[in-house]
Amino acid sequence: IVLTGGDDRLWKTWGFPDGNILLKGEGHTDWLSGCCFRPSGTQLVTSSGDTTVRIWDLSRRGCILTLRGHSRAVRGCSWHSCGDFVASASKDGTSKIWDVNSERCRYTLRGHEESVNSIEFLPFSSTVLTSSADRTLSLWDVRTVSRL
């Protein structure tokens, strides 16, 4: 199974080798910039030009949570290996760590001078890697909200 998102505002799961669409979801009001399966495989996260991050439940085939807090397009998203946290990177120059269980932003990472274009959790750690249009990469310890 492959997960994609695009300018059509939809996420889609594709089966292979046939290439047929298994599931799709709609709800964002602008292009999708990122999508990622939860480690358990039961949910996924999407990021969008509409400034939101959404959590989708595959069994319900719908959005179960919309996370708002970025002021500009969200450029990427990532799920922590424990499945309880989602990270987002935004054109507003910030990244956010979202607590999925409490449905709120736990930390906002500030320090890049321009758009943050991608974010990834390092496996089984509290460290995230961000890349920015300011031509820098940063490692962050999300427990202390500081660069490493």
Side-chain angles (χ1 to χ4, degrees):
I1 294 176
V2 173
L3 174 63
T4 63
D7 288 344
D8 61 1
R9 304 175 185 172
L10 301 174
W11 59 263
K12 297 173 187 170
T13 59
W14 303 79
F16 281 94
D18 298 332
N20 54 326
I21 297 172
L22 303 174
L23 294 172
K24 64 182 175 179
E26 60 182 87
H28 282 289
T29 58
D30 210 338
W31 45 268
L32 269 67
S33 55
C35 47
C36 181
F37 282 110
R38 186 175 189 159
S40 67
T42 60
Q43 296 176 338
L44 57 95
V45 61
T46 57
S47 54
S48 172
D50 67 11
T51 74
T52 67
V53 175
R54 290 180 183 246
I55 308 293
W56 305 81
D57 187 293
L58 296 175
S59 64
R60 295 185 200 170
R61 297 186 180 193
C63 177
I64 59 170
L65 178 61
T66 301
L67 302 168
R68 293 179 173 85
H70 286 292
S71 61
R72 296 189 65 195
V74 183
R75 307 280 287 169
C77 57
S78 174
W79 216 303
H80 188 273
S81 51
C82 75
D84 294 331
F85 299 97
V86 165
S88 59
S90 175
K91 200 169 178 180
D92 66 13
T94 69
S95 297
K96 293 185 180 290
I97 307 299
W98 304 90
D99 183 327
V100 177
N101 297 318
S102 69
E103 302 181 1
R104 67 179 183 88
C105 176
R106 175 73 60 95
Y107 308 108
T108 299
L109 309 176
R110 293 181 174 87
H112 284 294
E113 296 176 12
E114 294 184 34
S115 173
V116 184
N117 296 330
S118 67
I119 190 163
E120 283 294 328
F121 280 102
L122 275 63
F124 308 102
S125 77
S126 61
T127 303
V128 293
L129 172 67
T130 56
S131 68
S132 172
D134 65 14
R135 299 181 184 182
T136 64
L137 298 173
S138 292
L139 284 172
W140 305 82
D141 183 335
V142 297
R143 294 171 301 182
T144 60
V145 194
S146 61
R147 286 186 182 180
L148 299 175

